Amino acid sequence: MLKINNLSAKIDNKSILQDFKLEINPGEVHAIMGPNGSGKSTLSNILSGKKGYDVTGEVLFENNDLFSLETEERAHKGIFLAFQYPLEIPGVNTNVFLKTSLNAIKKARGEKELDAIQFLKLVKEKAKELKFDEEKLSRQLNVGFSGGEKKKNEILQMSILNPKLSILDETDSGLDIDALKTVADGVNALRKKNNSFLIITHYQRLLEYIKPDFVHVLMNGKIIKSGGPELALELEKKGYENIN
Amino acid sequence: MEEQLKIDFEKKLKDFSYSDQEKKFRETNFKEFLKKGFPNRKLENWKFSDLNQIIKSNIGELTFYNDYKKENQIDKIELISELEHNKIIIVDGKIEKIDFKFEDKDKIEVLVEQGEETIKENINSLINLNNAFSNKFCKIIIKKNYSLKKPLVIYHLTNKNTQSKNTNSRIDFKLEENACLILIDIFKDNSEKNFLNIYYNFELDKSSILKNYKIDKSINNNIKYSYNNVKQEANSISETFILSSGSKFFKNEINCDLLGQHSSAFVNGIFDLDDENHHEIKSNINHLVENTKSYQLVKSVLEKKSKAVYQGKIFVSSEAQKTDGYQLSNAILLSENSEFNAKPELEIYADDVKCSHGSSSGSLDENSIFYLMSRGLNYKEAKKLLINGFLLDVIEKITDEDIKNLIKNLLGVKE
């Protein structure tokens, strides 16, 4: 599904990722763990198309060259980034935003767009599953939401858009234990044969609830070690400094 | 220009048989205008918009005489179809039609006046020009306790063959106690390179309500000035909303004198400008007695080389304790060459007041754009959504639901 070959990224001539390699197959859950400044957020930004990086190397998503696609085209193809810091968009109603987003993606795929009634039914169902306060859906997008609500809103968007590859950028940070479980339930509900996940995190905590197939340790822009779920536990014990 | 003015004014006096009072009134105003000329940047109120220069560079030589004897075709005029309304149709400064078809006839009086006995000092030269050249002085009185059933729409139209002309129109309104008027100004221009000068006087008696919505949306090459002079007695409310967009140049000036306790004035506006358009809102809110309130919110979205100016003044006299005055302006600059000028002025002589002002300007937030694009919206859609969101809170200030929806439709704001 996703193939990253020798990806290097620089920002203002400062090297952030170096010869980064990763392959994610359909249905797999990969976790990337690493300390602050190791390049985790850069990776998620580059995959979702944020501007401002000089990149070399190759990223293929379902055999499409990712760098030839605009941000919105990547979303149309099924890439979703759950933001580390979801933005507040004043004046934009959450429901209107969700519907615009879903229908933009459906339209690009040549699928039938949802009308208001179909959409409301879907969004109500998903909000209920995620214990997301329905009243918030009629508010301005993320404005006045708590940190936890913003993160839940990301997962709500993810479950409505049903992407093929979901990238979760430190979705667990700032969540209390109940919210963490709800978020994990949301992800697990989406885990299917064809849906893959790239989970970026500092801590092993989230991985207790979302069991990854692979764990990778990212340091100084490179994967220095890969393994199964047990690697996360090892990291928790030893710390990043002593992992080699 | 002075020669042209004199020729045109004399022709006007000759063609219309004015009463002595009206003739004197017009002559005095004419002399005042000759003395002062068009406002220029030497005047503090005009420092961001030098009208003299703007007329010179966009129009060149103006003429001032309009043949008001000829009838204009008004049956083909495209009217607002979304809402039922009363109407006044003004073509090239001439009132062609006054139609209050939805109202009780004995509740509305239309008078033709002859100009004031005395001329106020220190009024700006454009009011002098208007008084000298406008066709008729029309006064509309809304009787006590009467609320118009439908809004009144004033259509300001210009003819195709009108060019390089100055046209002037003036209407006075009196809202008697507890009366209510919703007034919408719509501008439709078939002409080019004209200078439209519009002057309204409003007397708001006790507990009356005026809502004036000015909609300048259709693109045109004319230069416009509009002056609202509002005098408010106790418990009266004036709400002004300006959608400033289509004209080459438009300056809207709002003067509100809060003369009675618990009167309040709201001035809100949107500058939605493109190309080299240059628009201004200038407000003077004069809090003259205790317990009065004013609120102003202006939002701008500026493309290309457009320029918006907001000069908001709050004046609080020494008697006007417990004044509540607020003003805020925010601008999004969509191009490096666009420009927003804000000059908040607070002149306060009372000590127990609550007054504040604020202003911000900046570009669209790229991170917000990225967020929306990562959800499948293209750049244009993301930008539109953000701009609509930015404008929404000022649109929400419109208290009339029908007009709010009309403005939303005009701006393409969806819900």
Side-chain angles (χ1 to χ4, degrees):
Chain A
M1 176 177 281
L2 183 76
K3 257 188 210 167
I4 305 176
N5 290 324
N6 301 323
L7 175 66
S8 295
K10 280 182 188 173
I11 188 162
D12 296 334
N13 261 333
K14 194 175 160 250
S15 178
I16 300 173
L17 293 176
Q18 292 162 46
D19 290 328
F20 184 92
K21 290 186 192 72
L22 183 68
E23 184 167 354
I24 300 178
N25 293 310
E28 289 177 354
V29 176
H30 289 245
I32 291 194
M33 302 183 69
N36 290 329
S38 57
K40 301 192 299 298
S41 288
T42 296
L43 177 66
S44 60
N45 283 339
I46 286 173
L47 293 179
S48 48
K50 188 164 186 179
K51 305 236 169 357
Y53 300 95
D54 296 322
V55 290
T56 55
E58 183 188 52
V59 180
L60 296 173
F61 179 69
E62 295 192 316
N63 295 321
N64 295 296
D65 170 19
L66 207 60
F67 294 134
S68 70
L69 300 174
E70 291 291 339
T71 301
E72 76 273 19
E73 292 171 319
R74 301 182 195 193
H76 300 160
K77 295 244 183 268
I79 293 181
F80 179 89
L81 169 64
F83 278 57
Q84 184 179 2
Y85 304 109
L87 283 104
E88 297 188 6
I89 314 282
V92 176
N93 177 290
T94 306
N95 260 331
V96 172
F97 159 73
L98 288 173
K99 184 164 171 261
T100 311
S101 162
L102 178 64
N103 280 339
I105 291 173
K106 283 194 173 289
K107 195 177 161 192
R109 290 179 185 164
E111 294 170 11
K112 202 166 169 270
E113 294 175 41
L114 293 192
D115 63 29
I117 297 164
Q118 292 167 320
F119 172 76
L120 278 178
K121 190 170 168 264
L122 173 74
V123 78
K124 275 190 171 186
E125 192 185 300
K126 297 289 180 191
K128 205 175 162 194
E129 279 174 22
L130 287 165
K131 301 186 184 105
F132 189 85
D133 185 2
E134 248 183 69
E135 184 264 329
K136 296 225 157 45
L137 293 169
S138 54
R139 290 218 217 145
Q140 300 182 19
L141 182 57
N142 288 333
V143 177
F145 287 25
S146 71
E149 284 163 347
K150 285 180 186 169
K151 294 293 178 80
K152 271 195 190 177
N153 193 5
E154 295 292 286
I155 302 303
L156 175 68
Q157 291 170 37
M158 183 179 84
S159 63
I160 288 171
L161 301 178
N162 192 16
K164 289 177 189 162
L165 174 67
S166 302
I167 305 160
L168 275 61
D169 189 1
E170 297 196 24
T171 299
D172 52 337
S173 65
L175 287 186
D176 62 41
I177 196 76
D178 292 336
L180 192 70
K181 277 183 190 158
T182 317
V183 163
D185 288 346
V187 173
N188 289 329
L190 267 185
R191 269 180 99 157
K192 285 177 205 134
K193 211 167 65 194
N194 296 316
N195 291 352
S196 308
F197 292 85
L198 180 60
I199 296 171
I200 292 169
T201 183
H202 277 298
Y203 306 108
Q204 185 265 341
R205 198 174 63 154
L206 179 66
L207 305 178
E208 287 176 18
Y209 302 99
I210 308 170
K211 211 135 192 77
D213 300 303
F214 301 94
V215 174
H216 312 277
V217 181
L218 183 68
M219 277 185 85
N220 301 322
K222 270 187 180 167
I223 289 181
I224 55 159
K225 196 167 185 179
S226 294
E230 71 287 347
L231 181 57
L233 295 170
E234 193 188 335
L235 263 179
E236 188 87 349
K237 263 187 223 145
K238 292 186 181 166
Y240 290 112
E241 293 296 323
N242 304 311
I243 198 69
N244 264 338
Chain B
M1 187 187 70
E2 196 171 318
E3 211 156 301
Q4 187 68 45
L5 268 166
K6 282 179 179 163
I7 295 167
D8 288 345
F9 188 66
E10 260 158 44
K11 201 170 169 196
K12 187 167 177 70
L13 287 188
K14 211 177 85 193
D15 280 9
F16 294 81
S17 43
Y18 294 121
S19 69
D20 287 349
Q21 185 195 329
E22 183 164 351
K23 195 173 167 196
K24 185 171 162 260
F25 176 73
R26 286 183 186 271
E27 278 175 335
T28 316
N29 275 289
F30 180 69
K31 278 179 198 149
E32 273 296 301
F33 181 74
L34 274 188
K35 208 163 74 190
K36 296 180 203 162
F38 283 108
N40 60 43
R41 72 173 81 243
K42 286 182 196 157
L43 300 166
E44 183 65 17
N45 273 0
W46 293 84
K47 70 186 228 180
F48 298 105
S49 310
D50 188 322
L51 188 65
N52 196 32
Q53 278 303 323
I54 288 163
I55 288 177
K56 262 189 196 154
S57 57
N58 287 286
I59 300 178
E61 289 298 316
L62 266 179
T63 60
F64 301 86
Y65 181 80
N66 288 283
D67 184 3
Y68 288 130
K69 287 192 207 85
K70 80 168 190 267
E71 288 277 321
N72 287 297
Q73 289 280 328
I74 54 167
D75 49 345
K76 285 180 193 152
I77 289 162
E78 192 192 322
L79 302 171
I80 305 178
S81 53
E82 292 101 313
L83 78 168
E84 289 185 309
H85 57 275
N86 303 290
K87 56 181 172 286
I88 294 180
I89 298 176
I90 302 175
V91 184
D92 292 340
K94 180 188 178 190
I95 297 176
E96 287 286 353
K97 189 170 193 170
I98 298 181
D99 180 4
F100 283 98
K101 69 173 170 187
F102 293 100
E103 310 306 327
D104 301 349
K105 295 292 168 266
D106 59 337
K107 296 295 184 189
I108 293 166
E109 201 177 336
V110 180
L111 304 172
V112 176
E113 296 186 311
Q114 308 206 327
E116 292 88 4
E117 291 286 341
T118 52
I119 313 283
K120 277 168 263 160
E121 280 175 31
N122 292 328
I123 54 172
N124 86 48
S125 64
L126 296 174
I127 305 302
N128 295 128
L129 179 70
N130 196 306
N131 285 336
F133 280 98
S134 62
N135 185 32
K136 277 178 186 165
F137 307 130
C138 194
K139 182 165 188 170
I140 293 169
I141 299 167
I142 316 288
K143 299 289 184 185
K144 193 173 168 180
N145 294 330
Y146 188 70
S147 291
L148 267 73
K149 296 186 180 83
K150 300 286 173 192
L152 167 64
V153 178
I154 301 187
Y155 292 91
H156 302 265
L157 310 169
T158 54
N159 266 326
K160 212 176 247 171
N161 47 7
T162 311
Q163 209 174 11
S164 306
K165 271 188 189 300
N166 159 232
T167 67
N168 299 279
S169 46
R170 169 174 169 178
I171 303 177
D172 295 351
F173 294 87
K174 183 178 173 64
L175 276 62
E176 290 185 356
E177 189 175 339
N178 211 24
C180 175
L181 169 69
I182 297 174
L183 171 64
I184 306 168
D185 289 286
I186 300 267
F187 302 88
K188 285 194 174 157
D189 301 79
N190 292 312
S191 68
E192 283 208 357
K193 299 191 171 183
N194 295 291
F195 172 52
L196 281 72
N197 185 12
I198 299 151
Y199 175 31
Y200 291 157
N201 273 303
F202 297 95
E203 288 169 65
L204 305 190
D205 283 356
K206 267 190 269 177
S207 305
S208 61
I209 299 173
L210 166 73
K211 299 179 182 183
N212 183 200
Y213 305 107
K214 295 177 184 290
I215 302 174
D216 168 48
K217 188 69 181 114
S218 57
I219 295 166
N220 68 86
N221 261 323
N222 286 327
I223 290 178
K224 295 184 182 125
Y225 174 72
S226 159
Y227 185 75
N228 273 19
N229 189 26
V230 191
K231 304 215 171 299
Q232 296 188 232
E233 296 300 336
N235 296 307
S236 64
I237 300 170
S238 74
E239 173 188 335
T240 310
F241 180 91
I242 300 158
L243 172 57
S244 207
S245 177
S247 299
K248 183 89 189 170
F249 172 87
F250 204 154
K251 175 161 174 164
N252 267 288
E253 195 159 345
I254 313 289
N255 184 76
C256 279
D257 293 339
L258 299 171
L259 300 162
Q261 287 212 24
H262 301 287
S263 56
S264 48
F266 301 86
V267 177
N268 299 310
I270 290 175
F271 291 111
D272 178 16
L273 302 182
D274 206 340
D275 298 324
E276 292 184 25
N277 289 357
H278 172 171
H279 287 214
E280 172 167 345
I281 292 174
K282 167 83 182 90
S283 68
N284 296 294
I285 312 291
N286 301 309
H287 295 264
L288 302 170
V289 293
E290 278 188 12
N291 291 310
T292 55
K293 184 181 169 182
S294 68
Y295 183 100
Q296 303 179 62
L297 177 63
V298 172
K299 296 229 172 184
S300 309
V301 177
L302 307 174
E303 286 271 11
K304 295 180 191 154
K305 289 183 176 171
S306 64
K307 175 175 170 179
V309 180
Y310 170 54
Q311 303 194 74
K313 178 161 182 174
I314 300 173
F315 174 87
V316 181
S317 77
S318 56
E319 295 97 87
Q321 301 294 357
K322 313 276 183 209
T323 286
D324 189 352
Y326 176 88
Q327 62 161 292
L328 180 67
S329 62
N330 308 114
I332 292 182
L333 305 172
L334 293 171
S335 123
E336 280 183 13
N337 298 315
S338 61
E339 183 180 326
F340 179 64
N341 299 279
K343 194 184 80 177
E345 289 176 89
L346 272 63
E347 195 176 334
I348 300 170
Y349 297 100
D351 51 15
D352 183 15
V353 300
K354 209 166 81 185
C355 283
S356 65
H357 67 89
S359 181
S360 73
S361 53
S363 53
L364 266 187
D365 179 32
E366 284 303 319
N367 286 325
S368 300
I369 295 261
F370 173 61
Y371 186 55
L372 297 176
M373 287 177 74
S374 78
R375 299 304 184 249
L377 281 70
N378 64 35
Y379 184 82
K380 224 173 124 189
E381 290 163 338
K383 182 174 146 186
K384 179 92 184 125
L385 200 63
L386 285 178
I387 288 172
N388 286 349
F390 170 73
L391 294 178
L392 193 71
D393 61 345
V394 63
I395 299 172
E396 291 297 339
K397 296 278 180 265
I398 297 173
T399 55
D400 185 277
E401 287 301 317
D402 291 334
I403 314 297
K404 192 191 286 181
N405 289 331
L406 184 79
I407 302 266
K408 279 185 182 173
N409 286 340
L410 282 171
L411 289 168
V413 176
K414 279 188 223 150
E415 274 184 300

